[in-house]
Amino acid sequence: MIAAADIIIEKAKSSKLQSLSLENLPFGKYFSDHMLEADYEDGEWKNVEIKPYQPLLLEPSLAALHYGQAIFEGVKAYKDDNGNISIFRPYDNFKRFNKSAERMRMPTVPEEIFMEGMRLLIDLERNWVPNQKDHSLYIRPFMFSSDNVIGVKPSDTYKFMIICSPTGPYYNKPMRIYVEEKYTRAAPGGIGFAKAAGNYGASMLPTAEAKKLGYDQVLWTDAFEHRYVQEIGTMNVFFIIGDTAYTPDLGSGTILAGVTRESAITLLKEMGFKVVESNISIDNIVDAHKAGALFEVFGTGTAATISSIKELRYKDYIIEFDVANWKTAPELKRRLDAIREGKVDDRYGWMFKV
Ligand code: COI
């Protein structure tokens, strides 16, 4: 059993912050001074260490590189105007991480390592948390199989790590979306609900094809009929139709249970919307648009927060939105940001103080 006190800390001799300004940052390009690393061996977690960010020495036979037992999370830390640092809902990411681990036949990571390890790491990296609008310290916990064996079987050894990237907005303008009818992100019984690396690897080709057509991302549809909407790119999706917010339900196991999705549901209800989690067909979306009742479409995700969709293309039917005049997505983002930036009371207990 690992206790917080067992986490060894080796500090970097100097900080890379001396040569980096935390303003107008791209997403995920720079990494902070330290990282957390832990090993799973002989059925237990050991060697839990926070140490200077550095390369890993790995063998070419590393199981994760061949068979993709690899999962991750995305979490964000914010700085309020008094310089206090808080992490947004990390416990929800911790629980989801272990659900992903179980689906990928990987060991779960104990709370002491995930939560206390993250807290200690962010405490050490507090100078790395930007306070510019739409900036945060993106925290990336991940785990991969580390046996040097190319037989197809669950690995006996794993590495759990956390790295941090000071970061700006993921998408900085409203997006154009292509409704995907050829490729599939996830099918029932698969790994769509897990934050498994392979889900993202498999999305590269469809996204590249959509980009060639001038779109930023795809709207995934179900595996059987390509009729029921699933997610947008790497985000959950919401449709504002009349006074109701619709989002795909999690029942089929094909949708990631987004922490931002959950937060958006709570805040939309607070804003007076009825929220319906259900099976939503693209035909219903088109019908709502034809009836003049489809007001807004947006994505939610840790990296992207709330991202407006300015165009949705289904076959030859193009839906365009006047995003500049939207009311709901901007108000939702405003409420979410206010909580995360410590500007209002943390009324749902979402902020984990470091
Ligand atoms: C996130 O929103 O944290 C994601 O996982 C999306 C992407 C950066 C992979």
Side-chain angles (χ1 to χ4, degrees):
M1 165 89 176
I2 288 273
D6 296 326
I7 302 179
I8 295 162
I9 300 183
E10 180 203 336
K11 288 194 182 168
K13 297 212 166 40
S14 62
S15 174
K16 292 180 282 188
L17 269 178
Q18 284 151 8
S19 56
L20 180 73
S21 144
L22 294 186
E23 289 189 355
N24 305 324
L25 290 162
F27 179 85
K29 180 164 176 202
Y30 301 105
F31 297 94
S32 68
D33 291 325
H34 299 90
M35 64 186 197
L36 179 140
E37 185 175 341
D39 295 310
Y40 183 84
E41 287 166 13
D42 306 321
E44 59 176 336
W45 286 99
K46 41 179 92 157
N47 313 328
V48 189
E49 250 189 294
I50 291 175
K51 55 186 179 184
Y53 183 92
Q54 58 193 270
L56 298 173
L57 187 62
L58 300 169
E59 290 198 27
S61 55
L62 187 90
L65 297 178
H66 298 266
Y67 307 123
Q69 260 189 309
I71 60 170
F72 70 96
E73 273 301 325
V75 193
K76 276 178 171 173
Y78 295 84
K79 185 179 275 176
D80 70 18
D81 289 341
N82 299 318
N84 302 311
I85 310 287
S86 303
I87 308 175
F88 184 69
R89 305 189 70 171
Y91 199 73
D92 296 87
N93 295 92
F94 163 64
K95 287 187 285 186
R96 188 174 67 185
F97 188 79
N98 279 339
K99 281 190 190 143
S100 301
E102 278 166 7
R103 175 61 182 85
M104 298 303 286
R105 189 56 174 81
M106 301 167 92
T108 53
V109 174
E111 188 174 331
E112 297 76 22
I113 300 180
F114 192 103
M115 293 294 295
E116 184 57 11
M118 184 185 297
R119 194 189 68 75
L120 287 170
L121 178 63
I122 303 309
D123 195 23
L124 195 59
E125 304 297 57
R126 50 178 59 242
N127 292 339
W128 282 89
V129 185
N131 57 3
Q132 197 190 349
K133 187 73 191 153
D134 290 330
H135 283 56
S136 59
L137 186 66
Y138 185 80
I139 308 167
R140 173 52 65 87
F142 62 105
M143 170 166 49
F144 58 91
S145 55
S146 55
D147 278 6
N148 294 306
V149 175
I150 55 169
V152 183
K153 66 168 191 60
S155 194
D156 291 326
T157 63
Y158 296 84
K159 237 182 221 310
F160 170 67
M161 302 190 65
I162 309 180
I163 56 174
C164 307
S165 175
T167 221
Y170 194 76
Y171 299 113
N172 46 21
K173 55 179 178 38
M175 291 190 291
R176 300 180 70 218
I177 300 292
Y178 182 83
V179 179
E180 181 60 63
E181 292 183 273
K182 176 176 165 194
Y183 299 107
T184 300
R185 178 185 172 275
I191 58 168
F193 69 90
K195 215 158 168 62
N199 283 334
Y200 297 80
S203 74
M204 307 278 177
L205 176 67
T207 310
E209 291 189 6
K211 284 197 169 146
K212 269 195 214 151
L213 298 173
Y215 292 86
D216 299 300
Q217 284 289 346
V218 300
L219 172 60
W220 300 103
T221 51
D222 72 285
F224 302 117
E225 299 177 71
H226 289 297
R227 265 184 71 204
Y228 295 96
V229 301
Q230 305 267 291
E231 295 188 12
I232 273 191
T234 62
M235 297 179 288
N236 295 114
V237 62
F238 284 78
F239 301 88
I240 304 295
I241 300 177
D243 61 0
T244 304
Y246 291 88
T247 191
D249 71 284
L250 305 176
S252 64
T254 58
I255 310 270
L256 189 81
V259 177
T260 312
R261 172 188 183 277
E262 237 278 318
S263 313
I265 290 175
T266 303
L267 294 175
L268 283 163
K269 286 183 183 162
E270 190 186 81
M271 286 159 61
F273 281 89
K274 197 174 143 205
V275 180
V276 175
E277 297 175 63
S278 62
N279 217 10
I280 306 160
S281 85
I282 189 69
D283 301 317
N284 288 151
I285 301 299
V286 168
D287 289 347
H289 178 251
K290 287 181 177 160
L294 177 64
F295 298 138
E296 299 183 22
V297 181
F298 53 86
T300 64
T302 298
T305 62
I306 310 291
S307 286
S308 309
I309 308 306
K310 70 171 179 191
E311 183 186 324
L312 193 62
R313 175 174 165 181
Y314 175 52
K315 300 186 194 291
D316 288 331
Y317 191 79
I318 294 177
I319 302 177
E320 283 176 319
F321 295 99
D322 180 12
V323 171
N325 285 317
W326 278 9
K327 299 267 177 309
T328 307
E331 173 62 11
L332 176 59
K333 181 167 182 306
R334 197 195 59 72
R335 287 184 190 224
L336 191 57
D337 285 350
I339 295 176
R340 299 204 280 204
E341 293 162 5
K343 299 220 160 44
V344 294
D345 184 35
D346 176 21
R347 52 196 177 279
Y348 301 110
W350 286 342
M351 302 312 289
F352 175 89
K353 290 196 172 51
V354 172

